[in-house]
Amino acid sequence: MTSGVAIVGVAQTCYEAAKDHLAYNELVYEVVAKLLRETGVKMADIHSQITASQDMFDGKTISSMSVNEVVGGYLKSEAKVAADGLQAALYGAARILSGSFEYTLITAHAKESESRRPAVTVSMFDPFTQRPLGLHDAISSGLQAERYLHVSGVTEENMAELSRRRHLDAKKNPLAQRAGDFTTKQILESPQMAGPLREMMVSPSSDGACAVLLASAERASAFGKRAVWITGTGNCTDAYWTERDLAEARALELAAAKAYKAAGIRNPAKELDVAEISARCAFEEPMYADALQLFDGDPRAWIRQSAKGEGIAVNPSGGAITGNPTSVAGLTRLAEAYLQVSGQAGEHQVAGARTALAHAADGICGQGHTVVVLRGNSGN
Amino acid sequence: MSANSNSVDPIVEQKIQIPYSYVAGPAVSRFLTGLKDCVFYASECDACGRKTVPPLSFCGRCWKPIREFVTVGPRGVVESFASMPGGETPGVVYALVRLRGADTCLPHLLDLVPGQKAQIGAEVEPVWNEEREGSVLDIRSFRLRQAG
Ligand SMILES: [Zn+2]
């Protein structure tokens, strides 16, 4: 039995509003081919694959059928997770820890452009009392944003400051979808989405795929600095969105506590070098950073600090707000955290990054959360 | 399109339409039929006392069946709201309403007359349709209660 699980390689497509030239299984092929090329691992040596996708976005039930062979699942053990790809990574890590597999290939894909997000997300809501009102996820996010702003004191200007910084950082990430040196005024004056949320404060509709290769300790030893260890994981699900206070993320606090304990992290703000947080909307970042104990006290002070690029590096990739598809966003965070602690992040590399966190949110108003802590083999 | 065409791939337009006949179950049925009489039913867990609306047949936290149904509201408090972009006319406003006595929120529309502003904590009351058929749309909207 292996003594641990490592990530030995990652691959991502660039993220775009509409990839009209490729079908979704071809996007997955693109990232898997890149991953095998860069790691030198042969598909013949990978016997376990976990894919993540949403049937409603793919427009096809059991949507993994279309990617099974692309991920090397022909006559092998492929399983699908209908949640964020970061949960697929947890499942994959468990498979390796079981001793049954030496590698597990994790993929996540979505082409939000092929459907209409409001029409797809209306199906998440209760059919008896919520769908007749036409609720979709932009509306529930708007309701959550207003509640969080009211309770925390965070303002629309604060959200714009944070959004400005992430879009600026995204300029250094060649895979980012919406990057640029926007002014807070431009962000505040972008068209309204719902409640206090403006279009530039919310992830745009996005197409893309991401792949991560997990390996047993025995296999990982051959990868040197390119092997990064999963030192802690946590996953927790809260109550339905209408049955909890939307201004807090208790499930994330619990998921993080579990991951930090396993990773031996007592002071996350000091011990983590990078945090890649799945925040589709600007208000989610301070709310989630708070639950992850990345700051203490007033979230407005933390936003001002983070917007200046001070303190712990949060979303140096630009983050999900600049455009990542549903189900892919969290696996993208894991890929980015891996690039940071293995010293391969290129222009957006955080100097000396050794310990990083990746986070994913699932469900209406972040009902479920997944946290993974990574540690690189040596400083860079 | 010929096999050696250099033009972009075709995009195939389709629509999936699947009819569903959702069974509401005893708890939600109680809620929906209550609306015909302008009454809000909630479930009350006899272990933790949580009042959930629309009601549930079980308490997932205590992992026990629920047999008690109580009435809540009809007045409530705005826990949050979100205005939607409109075109020429103002957009609709959604609200999460915590009905008096309930521990959970009911999302619905908030009707504001010109000059009124939505506020968290504001007291609201339902506006019922004349004809009611046991649907959440029997409530036309919630409206702000005038002070005094
Ligand atoms: Zn209970």
Side-chain angles (χ1 to χ4, degrees):
Chain A
M1 188 117 78
T2 180
S3 57
V5 180
I7 300 175
V8 295
V10 303
Q12 305 172 64
T13 60
C14 66
Y15 301 98
E16 294 177 284
K19 289 179 179 288
D20 283 341
H21 59 299
L22 293 174
Y24 63 77
N25 56 357
E26 292 160 344
L27 290 189
V28 177
Y29 181 79
E30 181 184 319
V31 289
V32 173
K34 187 163 178 260
L35 184 61
L36 296 187
R37 200 164 58 238
E38 289 179 1
T39 56
V41 175
K42 303 243 176 322
M43 192 56 97
D45 292 325
I46 304 172
H47 299 279
S48 165
Q49 16 282 109
I50 316 283
T51 65
S53 56
Q54 297 293 337
D55 291 356
M56 293 296 277
F57 275 116
D58 280 353
K60 184 177 186 178
T61 58
I62 326 174
S63 53
S64 59
M65 286 187 299
S66 297
V67 297
N68 174 56
E69 295 203 3
V70 175
V71 299
Y74 175 66
L75 295 179
K76 289 180 188 169
S77 180
E78 180 263 333
K80 178 196 161 183
V81 168
D84 193 283
L86 196 61
Q87 287 202 50
L90 253 57
Y91 186 176
R95 279 185 160 200
I96 289 176
L97 288 170
S98 76
S100 302
F101 299 102
E102 292 180 310
Y103 289 113
T104 296
L105 174 61
I106 313 296
T107 65
H109 73 267
K111 290 190 75 186
E112 294 183 352
S113 69
E114 293 190 357
S115 187
R116 286 161 192 85
R117 190 175 178 94
V120 167
T121 60
V122 78
S123 66
M124 295 197 292
F125 290 84
D126 173 73
F128 305 106
T129 59
Q130 299 183 357
R131 274 190 225 169
L133 300 164
L135 286 160
H136 54 73
D137 82 331
I139 302 170
S140 55
S141 289
L143 288 164
Q144 187 177 28
E146 184 65 38
R147 179 83 197 156
Y148 177 72
L149 264 52
H150 177 80
V151 171
S152 68
V154 168
T155 63
E156 292 172 36
E157 287 73 19
N158 292 148
M159 288 199 290
E161 276 177 81
L162 205 53
S163 176
R164 188 198 67 79
R165 178 70 204 197
R166 299 304 174 240
H167 286 90
L168 185 64
D169 288 343
K171 282 181 76 178
K172 293 181 180 169
N173 176 2
L175 305 177
Q177 179 174 328
R178 186 176 60 191
D181 192 357
F182 304 106
T183 63
T184 51
K185 188 166 178 283
Q186 278 176 305
I187 293 164
L188 286 165
E189 288 175 0
S190 63
Q192 186 194 17
M193 286 279 287
L197 295 175
R198 303 272 157 178
E199 278 181 10
M200 292 285 300
M201 298 173 183
V202 180
S203 170
S205 176
S206 180
D207 288 3
C210 180
V212 170
L213 188 60
L214 304 178
S216 66
E218 293 69 27
R219 290 287 184 168
S221 60
F223 290 84
K225 279 188 180 181
R226 286 190 300 142
V228 160
W229 300 95
I230 294 178
T231 54
T233 64
N235 173 264
C236 187
T237 307
D238 205 334
Y240 194 56
W241 74 293
T242 45
E243 297 174 21
R244 62 187 150 98
D245 188 346
L246 297 179
E248 53 184 35
R250 284 192 58 221
L252 180 53
E253 288 170 23
L254 296 170
K258 201 173 168 202
Y260 290 151
K261 192 176 175 207
I265 288 175
R266 282 184 196 83
N267 187 340
K270 283 212 168 69
E271 293 173 56
L272 293 171
D273 300 308
V274 178
E276 280 283 345
I277 303 173
S278 284
R280 289 194 76 250
C281 307
F283 75 93
E284 293 170 348
E285 212 183 280
M287 188 165 85
Y288 293 165
D290 198 353
L292 288 165
Q293 301 170 49
L294 300 187
F295 66 85
D296 212 10
D298 191 343
R300 287 169 292 192
W302 175 77
I303 290 170
R304 276 193 292 273
Q305 189 191 36
S306 195
K308 279 190 250 165
E310 294 167 3
I312 173 175
V314 173
N315 292 337
S317 65
I321 194 172
T322 65
N324 286 148
T326 299
S327 293
V328 181
L331 195 63
T332 299
R333 307 277 72 75
L334 187 66
E336 286 292 336
Y338 165 84
L339 292 174
Q340 290 292 346
V341 296
S342 62
Q344 303 178 72
E347 229 194 305
H348 62 293
Q349 178 70 47
V350 174
R354 186 146 187 224
T355 306
L357 172 145
H359 156 258
D362 275 292
I364 304 168
C365 296
Q367 185 175 357
H369 294 274
T370 306
V371 174
V372 175
V373 179
L374 299 180
R375 190 165 173 80
N377 262 333
S378 64
N380 52 71
Chain B
M1 180 179 235
S2 68
N4 59 3
S5 165
N6 287 325
S7 63
V8 292
D9 294 336
I11 287 170
V12 180
E13 298 287 344
Q14 282 186 10
K15 198 178 254 187
I16 299 176
Q17 283 175 304
I18 309 169
Y20 284 88
S21 304
Y22 293 112
V23 172
V28 173
S29 294
R30 183 75 167 258
F31 177 76
L32 295 174
T33 51
L35 296 177
K36 284 190 199 174
D37 303 321
C38 305
V39 172
F40 293 105
Y41 280 105
S43 54
E44 182 175 10
C45 173
D46 60 17
C48 68
R50 235 178 114 75
K51 288 183 193 158
T52 305
V53 62
L56 298 168
S57 297
F58 47 83
C59 177
R61 303 179 189 202
C62 304
W63 195 250
K64 286 183 74 162
I66 290 177
R67 291 184 189 87
E68 282 295 310
F69 293 94
V70 295
T71 60
V72 293
R75 287 184 197 165
V77 164
V78 172
E79 185 144 302
S80 194
F81 63 92
S83 60
M84 298 300 290
E88 302 283 295
T89 55
V92 297
V93 181
Y94 285 91
L96 282 170
V97 176
R98 188 181 292 275
L99 294 169
R100 189 177 284 173
D103 292 297
T104 64
C105 287
L106 190 73
H108 217 289
L109 296 167
L110 185 63
D111 196 21
L112 298 168
V113 297
Q116 277 185 333
K117 266 192 79 174
Q119 251 187 332
I120 289 176
E123 214 185 18
V124 291
E125 62 190 3
V127 182
W128 299 95
N129 285 330
E130 290 291 318
E131 301 278 322
R132 293 180 298 277
E133 52 181 30
S135 152
V136 73
L137 298 179
D138 289 345
I139 310 159
R140 191 183 306 158
S141 64
F142 281 80
R143 70 177 170 210
L144 297 180
R145 273 188 41 84
Q146 300 298 345

